[in-house]
Amino acid sequence: MPKYFGQYGGQYVGEVLRPALDELAAAFAKYKQDKNFLAEYTDLLANYAGRPTPLLYAENLTRALKGAKTYIKLEGLANTGAHKINNALGQALLVKKMGKKHVIAETGAGQHGVAAAAACARLGLRCEVFMGAVDAARQQPNVFLMKQYGARVHIVNEGTRTLKDAVNACLKNWSARAADTHYLIGSALGPYPYPDIVKFFQSIIGREVKQQLWQREKKLPDLLIACCGGGSNSIGMFAPFVSAKKVRLLAVEAGGLGRKAGQHASRICSRSPIGIIEGYKSRFVQTADGQVEATHSVSAGLDYTGIGPELAALAEAGRVEFTTASDKEALQAYQYLARTEGLLFALESAHAAAAALKIIPRLPKNKIAVINMSGRGDKDIFITAAELSKKEWTEFLRQETRRLCV
């Protein structure tokens, strides 16, 4: 049965995919309560992914901003460099229990592709990853890493050649081989049961924040801040706190270059209309006649047209607040956190940091805020170096090209 979050969600797919989705829903319902499965998954998180990730008291940032006491959840210290490994390991283990041996996935920034490839290598599954040509060009280090883990990478040249086109290519491929192949979706969206599955595996972030903060402060946080593309790290951080009404939840979308069509990837803050795209109902950046609109963000991971259905519902209910950070603000926050706390935020996470830099100084010192650093910024060096140190980086690349061509 389709599952909805208010008016959002559902399972809008062709008949050819329904058996695979029904099989997946049944397996998830069984194994999420299976003690042996959960023990195996927990062991992978602890001994392969490196959990729990630290909750760092940002002492320098707190002192500089003169506002709320601020902590940073360091998901970037998990194996493969981002929170994406939590869900990739969970789904890969589920696939193995289901008896399937082949996994396909799509990726924008590349972190989900890297996590899926690594998880499949660890668990003995074959992996193929679809990636838009534009994203592959700006995230070439992650393309290289996926191949080192043994994955086959398909470069998608249709449409805008970004994440939405990679999703379409992956869905088309899955339709032809769903009987023996699992589509490992990396964000809390897509047709039911994917939003539930991804939230289940990513909620480890919020559970750890709750436990770690209680050990130090003996209280819940007052404010949680996370960036939001599809929404896997934000719903993962927020989920254990949704019923705690005093905890303020803030999701940060990509404000890009401005408010005009094609300049941003904001779904909630731009009041994008409801649509049914890629198998689920949610808010999508789209034209007046329902066609997917081009999006933009300096961060490949936030440059997506849709948002997870549960987050859309929580926004509509007023439980999760939304704001935006521009490309410029994200790059400024990236540099500020590097120099203040010695942390290189991924450009996605830098959007959350940018919002925090504006909000935290306005909060009383007895309040506690937590920023989710969903990934680390070394993957973005070809973007950040070109934006922040163009002359030196261009010369370095010129020298490397000459060296490689000898």
Side-chain angles (χ1 to χ4, degrees), residues 5 46 118 123 141 158 229 245 258 326 333 375 379:
F5 304 93
L123 294 173
E158 285 78 25
K245 302 297 184 185
S326 68
K379 73 175 177 60

Side-chain angles (χ1 to χ4, degrees), residues 28 142 173 178 242 264 308 320 337 339 360:
F28 176 59
N142 277 339
N173 183 279
V242 168
H264 62 84
V320 176
L337 267 296
R339 295 171 184 180
I360 287 172

Side-chain angles (χ1 to χ4, degrees), residues 1-5 8-13 17-18 20-29 32 174 185 188-197 278-281 309:
M1 290 292 290
K3 186 171 183 178
Y4 288 85
F5 304 93
Y8 303 105
Q11 192 184 79
Y12 300 89
V13 297
L17 290 179
R18 289 191 181 278
L21 289 169
D22 290 345
E23 181 187 16
L24 178 62
F28 176 59
K32 73 177 183 180
W174 196 37
I185 289 182
L189 43 68
Y192 172 78
Y194 280 106
D196 278 346
I197 291 175
E278 295 167 351
Y280 67 106
K281 180 188 287 188

Side-chain angles (χ1 to χ4, degrees), residues 236-290:
M237 190 190 203
F238 296 162
F241 297 95
V242 168
S243 60
K245 302 297 184 185
K246 291 184 178 179
V247 181
R248 185 179 171 191
L249 309 176
L250 179 65
V252 188
E253 296 183 300
L257 299 170
R259 296 182 178 180
K260 293 182 180 178
Q263 291 187 336
H264 62 84
S266 165
R267 295 63 40 94
I268 302 300
C269 293
S270 68
R271 299 183 180 180
S272 296
I274 296 173
I276 297 174
I277 296 172
E278 295 167 351
Y280 67 106
K281 180 188 287 188
S282 189
R283 297 275 176 179
F284 295 88
V285 180
Q286 54 189 308
T287 63
D289 57 357

